[in-house]
Amino acid sequence: MCETHSQEILASGLDGEVHVWLYKYDHHLRPDDAAVFSSVLSAGECERYNSFHFDRDRYQFLISRVMLRHILSAYRRDVAPNTWRFEQNQCGKPFIAVDQCRRDLYFNLSHTNGLVALAVSRYPLTGVDIEMSSDRTRALSLTKYVLTTAEQRIYTNLDEEGKRKLFYTLWTLKEAYVKALGTGLSTPMTSFGFYLDIHGEPVIADSNGYLLDNNFWRFYQASLNCEYNMALAYWFPEKRADVIIGADLQNEENHIQKEIQILQLPESFLYDSKSIAMSKLPIC
C-alpha cells in the first residue's frame, strides 16, 4: 500500500496496481446541486434515482454513480462522464460495456452510510466492500449467515468489542470476495472463511478452516477512522498488485459545493490537496 496524491495516482496508470477511491459525504443536497450531479446519469440511472423513497438513499445512489463516471473518465480521457455505458453479468455485477473498456478497465463500487468506495483495476476479478462498523446489533443478527462453524468458535470466545471487530472484518472480506467473483448470493458466505497468515495478511479457507490454494488471489482489509471497515479482494495473474488509496475523509463547510466543482473538472479529480493513505488512518 502506498501514500500518494490523486494526480500521481492517475498518472501512474493501473499496471500492477489496484486503485481504491474513498469519498465521505453528508446527506444534504440542494435541488440545484442535484440537477448538476444527475446531468451525467443515463436514462436508466435517472429512473432508478427517482425511484428511491428516502432522500438519503437517493443521494447515496447519485453520489456513487457520479463519482464512478468521473473517475473512469479520469483514466480514459476520450470518454466523457455522461457517455459511459454499463452492462451486468447474470448475477448482477456491473461492468463497462465491452466496446468502451477494451477489456482493460474494470471497477467495483460499494457504499455505506456516509462513505463510498470505488476500486479500479485492469482485471475483472476485483471487489471492494465498505461497511459502517459501529452497529453491534447488526453484527449479532447476521453472524449465522456470515461466519463458518470454525469462525463462530473463535467469535464466541471474544468479548463484545472483539466480536464486533471480528464480524465486520470477516463480513467485508467475504463481501469483497463474492463481489470480485461476481456470483452474488449464489456463493454462501458460510461456504468459505478467512484466517491470517504468518505475515498477518488475510488468506481464504474452506468452511472447515482448511486453507485453500489461493493461486493469485489477494486480500486487503482496514479499519477507517474507527468508524468503517473496508476490504478489497483481487485476482492478479502476474504478480502481487500494489493497493493505492486516494481518499478524502474530511468533513468541511461548503463540502458539497466544492465537490461539484471538482466533479466538473476530471483532470483535477479528486481531492488534490487532501489525498491521504490508509497508513495515515488510525487502525482500530
Side-chain angles (χ1 to χ4, degrees):
M1 181 197 58
C2 302
E3 174 184 355
T4 186
H5 290 282
S6 58
Q7 290 303 299
E8 295 169 346
I9 293 173
L10 294 170
S12 70
L14 286 167
D15 293 334
E17 296 178 352
V18 178
H19 294 174
V20 180
W21 298 96
L22 301 173
Y23 174 35
K24 188 172 185 179
Y25 64 92
D26 58 33
H27 293 290
H28 303 289
L29 186 66
R30 299 179 309 179
D32 290 346
D33 296 340
V36 172
F37 273 49
S38 61
S39 65
V40 303
L41 302 185
S42 67
E45 288 171 331
C46 285
E47 182 178 353
R48 186 177 175 190
Y49 167 69
N50 290 317
S51 72
F52 288 104
H53 179 71
F54 297 105
D55 289 342
R56 179 188 64 186
D57 298 331
R58 186 181 300 113
Y59 183 36
Q60 185 181 72
F61 174 79
L62 180 61
I63 285 292
S64 62
R65 302 305 290 190
V66 171
M67 176 180 172
L68 168 65
R69 288 176 169 275
H70 276 278
I71 290 182
L72 290 179
S73 290
Y75 289 98
R76 187 63 52 77
R77 299 300 180 91
D78 58 327
V79 182
N82 65 339
T83 61
W84 286 104
R85 290 178 290 103
F86 304 104
E87 301 173 4
Q88 293 183 344
N89 71 5
Q90 64 271 24
C91 294
K93 181 178 181 178
F95 57 91
I96 301 167
V98 173
D99 62 321
Q100 286 190 320
C101 79
R102 298 194 296 270
R103 299 186 183 278
D104 67 351
L105 186 62
Y106 297 91
F107 71 90
N108 197 243
L109 192 65
S110 181
H111 47 69
T112 189
N113 188 24
L115 189 62
V116 179
L118 172 65
V120 185
S121 172
R122 293 283 186 211
Y123 294 94
L125 296 180
T126 300
V128 67
D129 186 60
I130 193 157
E131 302 288 346
M132 181 172 280
S133 56
S134 58
D135 190 341
R136 289 183 172 84
T137 303
R138 188 183 188 191
L140 182 63
S141 66
L142 293 175
T143 299
K144 64 180 180 180
Y145 303 107
V146 174
L147 304 187
T148 65
T149 301
E151 289 168 337
Q152 288 189 41
R153 285 196 294 267
I154 299 172
Y155 177 86
T156 55
N157 289 324
L158 299 175
D159 60 21
E160 291 304 308
E161 179 63 10
K163 289 178 178 178
R164 183 192 65 82
K165 291 181 178 180
L166 178 64
F167 173 80
Y168 282 103
T169 295
L170 293 173
W171 189 26
T172 51
L173 282 167
K174 292 187 178 196
E175 285 278 5
Y177 178 60
V178 170
K179 291 179 70 178
L181 291 174
T183 55
L185 296 176
S186 64
T187 303
M189 291 192 185
T190 54
S191 65
F192 63 96
F194 282 94
Y195 292 90
L196 298 181
D197 65 13
I198 60 174
H199 303 294
E201 298 184 0
V203 292
I204 196 167
D206 67 16
S207 59
N208 294 314
Y210 294 101
L211 298 184
L212 299 175
D213 183 1
N214 285 329
N215 293 321
F216 299 105
W217 280 104
R218 296 291 182 269
F219 303 95
Y220 174 78
Q221 201 281 332
S223 177
L224 311 180
N225 284 354
C226 305
E227 185 178 7
Y228 301 95
N229 269 72
M230 189 203 80
L232 177 72
Y234 56 95
W235 186 89
F236 232 72
E238 285 94 353
K239 62 173 184 177
R240 185 179 185 84
D242 291 325
V243 178
I244 312 296
I245 309 295
D248 172 23
L249 297 181
Q250 313 240 350
N251 193 4
E252 302 179 351
E253 295 181 3
N254 302 318
H255 184 70
I256 297 300
Q257 292 85 340
K258 289 181 180 179
E259 295 310 324
I260 286 177
Q261 295 172 6
I262 293 175
L263 288 172
Q264 292 174 327
L265 296 171
E267 63 272 17
S268 63
F269 193 83
L270 55 54
Y271 324 125
D272 279 333
S273 63
K274 299 171 290 184
S275 291
I276 57 177
M278 289 279 192
S279 58
K280 291 270 190 133
L281 301 173
I283 302 301
C284 303

